Amino acid sequence: MNYFDTLIEVADDCPATEGQAPQARGGKNTKTVVEYEMLVKQPYKYTEEDIAFDTYAVLHDIPKASWPEARKKFLGKGHPHLRVSALAKRYGWGFHNNAEGKIALIAVESSGYKQLMDDPRTTKIKAFRSTRA
């Protein structure tokens, strides 16, 4: 599930030309808001597996004490990864996975995004499109 030295680029059909903060709906945080807050507050702290599980646990109100067992069970199944995240499909954010597999959000309009795009050592993969081509 984790990538290393990789930039997950924004989707080809992403409508945002700059990174935008997602908003809660109906007073509740969405999966996208939880992912965004984790990565904005602590870049390069989490792996893709951490983000997938922590988001699931928060949205399903799983008590912290149950996280180790719930994580094993959760990660035992296949789950979508950040290539399907609305952050890359709708909100203008790329994901940079460093050499340790830790992730940071990179706004599509930023100089950091441009540098990663130009770096031949960084693997580039596109986020999935929202619509069929």
Side-chain angles (χ1 to χ4, degrees):
M1 181 182 263
N2 295 315
Y3 292 104
F4 302 91
D5 291 321
T6 301
L7 174 65
I8 299 174
E9 300 174 48
V10 297
D12 286 336
D13 62 346
C14 179
T17 56
E18 60 185 36
Q20 302 170 352
Q23 302 298 312
R25 283 193 226 142
K28 288 188 157 190
N29 281 342
T30 62
K31 179 179 183 255
T32 307
V33 170
V34 175
E35 290 172 348
Y36 174 81
E37 289 179 352
M38 287 176 69
L39 291 168
V40 164
K41 290 177 182 173
Q42 296 179 306
Y44 297 114
K45 177 180 179 184
Y46 301 103
T47 65
E48 194 153 347
E49 290 176 348
D50 295 336
I51 294 165
F53 175 73
D54 290 10
T55 300
Y56 171 81
V58 167
L59 293 176
H60 290 87
D61 295 319
I62 297 172
K64 278 266 194 196
S66 301
W67 280 28
E69 185 60 34
R71 181 181 169 104
K72 282 183 202 169
K73 188 175 178 182
F74 177 83
L75 293 176
K77 305 174 197 170
H79 291 282
H81 40 78
L82 293 175
R83 290 183 65 197
V84 300
S85 172
L87 290 170
K89 291 170 63 171
R90 159 74 187 86
Y91 292 99
W93 295 98
F95 299 97
H96 179 240
N97 300 58
N98 68 14
E100 298 171 6
K102 306 288 180 145
I103 302 168
L105 282 177
I106 308 289
V108 69
E109 81 282 2
S110 70
S111 62
Y113 189 92
K114 289 173 185 55
Q115 287 174 341
L116 289 167
M117 289 295 291
D118 292 339
D119 185 350
R121 295 168 298 174
T122 301
T123 303
K124 289 120 189 126
I125 53 174
K126 287 278 189 186
F128 291 134
R129 297 171 51 91
S130 295
T131 57
R132 285 187 162 182

